[in-house]
Amino acid sequence: MTDTLPRETALEESGQINTLQHERWNLWRDEQSQNKKRFNIHELLQTEVKLRENAQREVALKDKLAIYQKPPTTDGSLVPADLIQGLRAEVTKLNEEYWMLERKWWSIEGSLIEGPLARGMKLWRSHPKWYMHCVLREDCAERGRCCGRDCGCCSNRHLPKRKFAAGHCTVECHCCEKARGFELSSEKKAQVEKLFDLGVDRGYFKRIRHASLLGLIHLNLDNPFDLIEDPPPRYEAPAV
Ligand SMILES: [Zn+2]
Ligand SMILES: [Zn+2]
Ligand SMILES: [Zn+2]
């Protein structure tokens, strides 16, 4: 176990958070330990997306169930019982999958032993709205998702039993589906995800990694906590 370096303490106390986080990253980058090989950042970030996908699909299914379970419309049309049963069964399955994904996340995160990167992540993610970092918001908005609209979904995505639900849209966001006007097939969802593959070591991954783990932007000197943008929704946020 390594303790916080005196220099880290001094930087934090003097509010030089950007330098602190950059130095922590550089220390981690230059480290040649087994720990570095074991901790898979690609897998960590991909699992976080999967967790949000799961939580967002559950919300979407529950929204649909609420509509289907309303009394029949004036023309007397009824939603088939097997359709409702199918949706309910999927909600149960999602719940089990979430539980497994959560364990997977803890096991990946647990492989990172105490050190500069762990301390950097802890500091950054101690802010309850770290995921509203401008890079992550921009990524969401540029992909035509909720941060590009006024709904405020991403900032309000808190589910009591879903710690990892907080954050940006995935292919399963129901608000995005409504804005898009059509459902995505499983193939299309996979295609979209492939375009933004966090499993590949390229610029996109590096940008998301820096913002997600440490609140940093390459060559930027701003205090990461000043890069959190959390505008209030212009309309009432949908109930989740
Ligand atoms: Zn939305
Ligand atoms: Zn967003
Ligand atoms: Zn969305």
Side-chain angles (χ1 to χ4, degrees), residues 12 19 23 28 35 63 71-72 80 117 130 148-150 187 195 214 229 236:
E12 187 166 357
T19 310
E23 288 194 8
W28 159 259
N35 174 39
D63 280 357
L117 181 60
W130 64 265
R149 294 188 289 271
D150 297 319
E187 294 80 47
L195 291 174
L214 297 164
E229 297 171 352
E236 203 181 321

Side-chain angles (χ1 to χ4, degrees), residues 50 76 108 113 120 139 168 179 192 200 223 225:
K50 291 265 165 253
I108 302 167
I113 55 164
D139 177 50
H168 296 277
V192 172
V200 185
N223 180 328
F225 295 112

Side-chain angles (χ1 to χ4, degrees), residues 43-44 47-48 51 94-111 161-164:
E43 226 184 346
L44 187 89
T47 306
E48 289 182 353
L51 280 155
L94 283 170
N95 190 32
E96 290 167 13
E97 282 171 6
Y98 185 92
W99 189 89
M100 275 308 294
L101 281 167
E102 208 175 34
R103 262 88 214 138
K104 185 177 177 189
W105 188 91
W106 284 112
S107 102
I108 302 167
E109 201 261 356
S111 65
K161 291 184 184 164
R162 297 280 186 268
K163 169 177 162 15
F164 294 95

Side-chain angles (χ1 to χ4, degrees), residues 145-146 149 157 169 173 175-176:
R145 295 176 165 182
C146 289
R149 294 188 289 271
R157 207 167 255 136
C169 305
C173 173
C175 183
C176 286

Side-chain angles (χ1 to χ4, degrees), residues 17-30:
I17 308 298
N18 183 292
T19 310
L20 171 66
Q21 295 291 75
H22 270 296
E23 288 194 8
R24 280 172 165 166
W25 175 256
N26 292 341
L27 280 169
W28 159 259
R29 192 192 51 199
D30 298 340

Side-chain angles (χ1 to χ4, degrees), residues 124-187:
W124 174 235
R125 294 197 170 190
S126 69
H127 192 293
K129 287 286 174 84
W130 64 265
Y131 50 84
M132 296 306 279
H133 187 282
C134 61
V135 164
L136 304 176
R137 282 198 71 222
E138 191 183 83
D139 177 50
C140 182
E142 281 180 354
R143 290 158 73 173
R145 295 176 165 182
C146 289
C147 282
R149 294 188 289 271
D150 297 319
C151 50
C153 288
C154 297
S155 180
N156 292 295
R157 207 167 255 136
H158 304 294
L159 300 173
K161 291 184 184 164
R162 297 280 186 268
K163 169 177 162 15
F164 294 95
H168 296 277
C169 305
T170 68
V171 287
E172 301 294 350
C173 173
H174 196 205
C175 183
C176 286
E177 184 183 296
K178 285 187 270 188
R180 199 167 52 231
F182 58 91
E183 277 187 46
L184 288 176
S185 64
S186 314
E187 294 80 47

